[in-house]
Amino acid sequence: MEKLYTLPKLPYGFKDLEPHISEGQLSIHYEKHHQAYVNGANGLLESMDKAREGGVELDVKSTLKALSFNVGGHILHSLFWPNVSPKGGGKPGGAIADFLDKEFGSFERFRDEFSKTAVSVEGSGWAALAFCKKTQRPLIMQVEKHNVNVYPMFHILLVLDVWEHAYYLDYKNNRAAFVDAFWNLVNWAEVGKRLDEVQ
Ligand code: MN3
């Protein structure tokens, strides 16, 4: 049986993240941009299947580069949607709060480092909070595009999309304003759940 990627259902409505993310911004981001990565990844898998079945040579380098970009885009967006919530924002509690305090000294220090990470991504990319199983410590990643500078096997707890397509309708070129607004939406329960799953 053929197994392909699918667009996950959004856990809220398109209007529900307003005023921080507008209906127009969220709907185009989810229905057009995320869908395009799903379609791109599936198209590449299908062309690889066809080439293998037909005994045709594959352009391995360009195919794998495009596949990494599209699968990375799909996975990061799938993590991003439940990372935000109409009921999000504020400070984390419980184990995730202790985990961040221990590493960064305070929640405010973590938030500042994460914001600077997001604002300073060159071109298109993401800020991500990840968990290292070896050290049992959190680590902030600055992902370029959807797949560059990712640490293998690190478990992602929280991501923020800072591609222009994520905020341009609402914030124009003011990425820092979008990053500030993001903190009103962070779903700490989901971040805490991901930490529980990996610890
Ligand atoms: Mn995006």
Side-chain angles (χ1 to χ4, degrees), residues 72-88:
H74 170 51
I75 289 172
L76 288 173
H77 283 94
S78 300
L79 289 165
F80 180 55
W81 307 127
N83 260 165
V84 287
S85 161
K87 292 174 186 155

Side-chain angles (χ1 to χ4, degrees), residues 29 33 37 77 126 146 161 163 165-166:
H29 193 184
H33 292 278
Y37 301 121
H77 283 94
W126 300 72
H146 297 312
D161 188 343
W163 280 58
H165 74 218

Side-chain angles (χ1 to χ4, degrees), residues 35-163:
Q35 183 71 59
Y37 301 121
V38 172
N39 296 348
N42 289 340
L44 287 156
L45 289 177
E46 285 169 340
S47 69
M48 290 163 80
D49 288 343
K50 265 189 205 138
R52 287 166 186 162
E53 285 159 15
V56 176
E57 198 176 336
L58 203 64
D59 183 342
V60 168
K61 187 175 177 186
S62 70
T63 301
L64 296 186
K65 190 170 175 173
L67 189 64
S68 167
F69 176 83
N70 282 281
V71 172
H74 170 51
I75 289 172
L76 288 173
H77 283 94
S78 300
L79 289 165
F80 180 55
W81 307 127
N83 260 165
V84 287
S85 161
K87 292 174 186 155
K91 283 183 164 197
I96 182 72
D98 298 340
F99 181 64
L100 293 175
D101 280 350
K102 196 174 168 209
E103 180 73 19
F104 296 95
S106 66
F107 172 68
E108 288 70 24
R109 172 86 195 187
F110 158 72
R111 188 175 58 193
D112 186 55
E113 282 190 30
F114 192 94
S115 290
K116 282 177 176 150
T117 301
V119 169
S120 66
V121 170
E122 273 184 348
S124 299
W126 300 72
L129 174 71
F131 178 81
C132 176
K133 289 180 191 171
K134 296 283 181 198
T135 62
Q136 301 281 303
R137 288 174 62 168
L139 186 142
I140 295 174
M141 295 184 202
Q142 188 173 54
V143 182
E144 292 177 12
K145 298 194 270 186
H146 297 312
N147 51 342
V148 179
N149 297 343
V150 175
Y151 294 66
M153 303 298 289
F154 278 43
H155 189 84
I156 292 179
L157 307 173
L158 172 68
V159 285
L160 171 56
D161 188 343
V162 288
W163 280 58

Side-chain angles (χ1 to χ4, degrees), residues 131 133 136 153 155 157 193-199:
F131 178 81
K133 289 180 191 171
Q136 301 281 303
M153 303 298 289
H155 189 84
L157 307 173
K193 197 181 91 189
R194 289 183 191 165
L195 180 64
D196 282 347
E197 282 164 2
V198 76
Q199 262 183 334

